[in-house]
Amino acid sequence: MLELRRANREDLDEIVALEQACFPPEQAADRASFSQRLAVFPDHFLLLCSDCGACVGMINGAVIRERYILDEMYADAGYHCADGAFQAVYGLDVLPEYRHQGCAHRLMAAMVELARNEGRRGVTLTCRPEKIGFYESMGFQEEGVADSDHGHVVWHNMVLEF
């Protein structure tokens, strides 16, 4: 059974390792970014953990005023705005051996529920073209190519508006 819980500073090493296992180096967030995120918006940083406590998935992101994520937001947790309209998703990571088992859906559903409970206008994220269908299956709308050069790949704006 996998347990969903909020992340804390003691999880930092495991969070960094999970990110490195899920994203290529040019796209992965670094230790300093995760440390900052955990300090500024810990209530918007969720982990999915195995019975033995190992982190197998995570989702995190600031609350922002803007409809779309800007590249500079990933490295600067100062964009977090407690009264912002949108819950941003900076990362949704699931270890390869746990994929296609509903883990990503569970993490995203928890973040969407959190955003609804906090009275947000919606949830916003960017994704690579091959992930558009996955997010559309969860109710997100594709809103065009993002103004992003993060990791030197094309990203698409995806928004779930309540």
Side-chain angles (χ1 to χ4, degrees):
M1 176 68 83
L2 298 175
E3 174 195 359
L4 187 65
R5 67 173 176 83
R6 284 199 167 92
N8 60 59
R9 296 195 65 74
E10 290 75 37
D11 298 311
L12 184 59
D13 289 338
E14 203 164 4
I15 287 167
V16 171
L18 177 60
E19 180 83 350
Q20 290 170 348
C22 294
F23 286 96
E26 62 275 5
Q27 295 173 19
D30 62 20
R31 183 180 192 80
S33 292
F34 281 125
S35 181
Q36 196 181 112
R37 293 175 192 182
L38 286 167
V40 176
F41 50 84
D43 291 342
H44 301 97
F45 205 125
L46 306 174
L47 301 178
L48 195 58
C49 301
S50 68
D51 290 340
C52 64
C55 180
V56 303
M58 68 177 172
I59 190 168
N60 72 94
V63 174
I64 61 174
R65 289 189 171 100
E66 297 81 357
R67 184 175 187 85
Y68 303 127
I69 297 169
L70 306 172
D71 281 354
E72 53 268 23
M73 293 177 178
Y74 293 109
D76 184 355
Y79 281 92
H80 176 71
C81 175
D83 64 351
F86 288 92
Q87 172 64 60
V89 174
Y90 290 168
L92 174 58
D93 301 23
V94 175
L95 287 175
E97 60 269 29
Y98 285 87
R99 292 181 187 160
H100 308 290
Q101 299 177 36
C103 295
H105 279 272
R106 186 168 171 197
L107 286 159
M108 184 59 75
M111 188 65 91
V112 168
E113 180 181 1
L114 177 62
R116 282 185 196 276
N117 290 343
E118 291 182 345
R120 307 288 170 217
R121 187 169 154 204
V123 178
T124 184
L125 58 90
T126 61
C127 72
R128 296 183 310 255
E130 65 272 15
K131 300 293 184 185
I132 291 172
F134 169 76
Y135 289 110
E136 286 177 335
S137 77
M138 299 181 70
F140 284 80
Q141 298 295 313
E142 194 273 337
E143 296 190 354
V145 174
D147 184 19
S148 172
D149 65 355
H150 181 72
H152 311 294
V153 297
V154 175
W155 298 91
H156 288 257
N157 290 312
M158 303 294 293
V159 178
L160 173 63
E161 199 161 358
F162 306 141

